[in-house]
Amino acid sequence: MVSSPLAQYSQRQPVTTPAPADPQLALAVADDRFLRSLLTESLPAIAHPHEIGTVTVEVSVPLPGPVQGRIDAVLTFEHINCVLAGSYPDAPPPPDLNSHRQYQAITPCHSDLTTLAHNVSWAEAETLLSRSGFGPEDIQHILNLPSQGWHKSWWYSLTPEGFLTVPFQRYIRSRRYADGTCTLQFQDHYAQQRPEGFRSQPQKLPVVVHSPQASFCDNLAHINLSRQALSTPQAILIADDLPELEVEGYIRQNVSLHRQRNLELLLSANCRSCYQAKCPLQGVDSSPVLACRSFRPVDGGV
């Protein structure tokens, strides 16, 4: 595993976004900070801040088929799984390879040639490459390559926990056409596991507002129908003042909780943002601990 500032960034304490008074209205307004907080500040979190690209939401989505009812909201977000080396301050620079043998050790395998964009306009190609982290100079170099030319760059994949893996090298080429369009293709050279996609994968998950009039089983049944409709194992439940047993029940059913007022102490007991250096779980992002009497926030508070 590569040690980098990006991995350290995932362990910083998140900035808490104030909860709107009406969560359904907040979903409809689609405030970007609120939508991102649903993904990063729920318990457990869906993704780390640096793994999230664009976020969109649809509200009051009808359940498909003969099932009656609706999903309060469907959250679609760009889940980043590859980052260009040196593309932003927290992304580490390209690896320093001092020998041809070391280069061969991390690039023994290569993927098939994959088309990233087919017959797109020049402006669309520039936007796509810019969103991927390339600067203006590299973008122009890629788009103006000769027919047999390749642009080579170093990238890092992200593990499910948000950490960087061994770097891989990506070859990119372009094909320009007389009608002003171009095609972008790439091929990856990697150590063992092929990188997933070019930069990100779109993910959808349901957001359900808790109904206090319904029982735990009825609320969970609605969540399960919503997950089944979107073919996803995850869901976010916006709720207030749930009994501790229900909190544990939802979490064990792979439901992430958001805006739970009586969970404030549990949310603060976060091993990745704890300053208790004597604890073996200090700084561990995947720690299962929810509550801890020895928890010390990174700012040194109690």
Side-chain angles (χ1 to χ4, degrees):
M1 183 174 291
V2 179
S3 176
S4 72
L6 183 59
Q8 297 172 8
Y9 178 77
S10 67
Q11 297 175 3
R12 297 176 189 168
Q13 190 172 14
V15 177
T16 302
T17 303
D22 186 341
Q24 290 180 320
L25 180 59
L27 289 167
V29 171
D31 177 73
D32 188 68
R33 283 201 313 163
F34 175 64
L35 297 182
R36 291 176 184 273
S37 75
L38 289 173
L39 297 167
T40 61
E41 297 175 23
S42 293
L43 179 69
I46 301 296
H48 302 99
H50 64 271
E51 297 177 273
I52 302 171
T54 57
V55 184
T56 58
V57 66
E58 296 177 85
V59 297
S60 297
V61 179
L63 286 166
V67 180
Q68 297 294 321
R70 58 177 172 76
I71 307 174
D72 290 315
V74 174
L75 201 62
T76 302
F77 70 101
E78 183 186 12
H79 196 179
I80 298 171
N81 46 44
C82 294
V83 293
L84 175 65
S87 58
Y88 59 96
D90 285 322
D96 182 17
L97 302 176
N98 300 317
S99 68
H100 184 64
R101 180 176 299 178
Q102 186 179 1
Y103 169 83
Q104 287 182 321
I106 60 176
T107 58
C109 307
H110 68 81
S111 65
D112 297 331
L113 186 65
T114 303
T115 298
L116 175 63
H118 181 65
N119 284 23
V120 297
S121 68
W122 194 270
E124 288 177 291
E126 287 183 329
T127 300
L128 176 60
L129 293 171
S130 177
R131 284 185 58 198
S132 300
F134 289 104
E137 186 175 340
D138 284 332
I139 292 174
Q140 293 307 312
H141 179 252
I142 293 172
L143 296 180
N144 290 283
L145 285 168
S147 59
Q148 300 301 318
W150 293 89
H151 178 86
K152 300 177 183 179
S153 55
W154 285 99
W155 292 64
Y156 295 90
S157 292
L158 293 171
T159 66
E161 294 77 27
F163 295 103
L164 297 173
T165 61
V166 173
F168 65 93
Q169 193 168 46
R170 175 164 285 167
Y171 289 33
I172 302 178
R173 73 179 187 183
S174 61
R175 292 288 184 268
R176 299 173 60 182
Y177 307 110
D179 62 357
T181 63
C182 65
T183 292
L184 298 173
Q185 296 176 310
F186 71 96
Q187 184 181 64
D188 292 334
H189 295 250
Y190 52 94
Q192 291 181 339
Q193 188 171 356
R194 179 179 179 176
E196 184 181 358
F198 183 77
R199 177 177 178 264
S200 61
Q201 299 285 341
Q203 289 195 12
K204 289 188 175 184
L205 70 159
V207 179
V208 177
V209 178
H210 180 260
S211 175
Q213 294 81 20
S215 67
F216 170 81
C217 289
D218 288 340
N219 275 303
L220 186 59
H222 180 60
I223 292 171
N224 287 338
L225 285 173
S226 302
R227 288 194 285 200
Q228 185 178 8
L230 298 178
S231 300
T232 177
Q234 297 176 306
I236 296 175
L237 177 65
I238 300 178
D240 280 329
D241 304 323
L242 292 180
E244 186 175 344
L245 194 58
E246 285 195 22
V247 169
E248 184 176 356
Y250 282 120
I251 292 175
R252 288 183 179 273
Q253 293 299 312
N254 202 26
V255 177
S256 295
L257 299 174
H258 190 75
R259 290 189 72 239
Q260 181 59 36
R261 283 198 292 262
N262 63 12
L263 269 182
E264 290 180 356
L265 293 178
L266 297 181
L267 286 169
S268 66
N270 191 336
C271 292
R272 74 182 179 192
S273 60
C274 181
Y275 198 68
Q276 187 61 261
K278 295 182 180 180
C279 176
L281 292 176
Q282 188 267 336
V284 176
D285 188 66
S286 58
S287 169
V289 174
L290 300 181
C292 178
R293 293 182 180 179
S294 300
F295 172 68
R296 293 177 59 192
V298 290
D299 59 3
V302 178

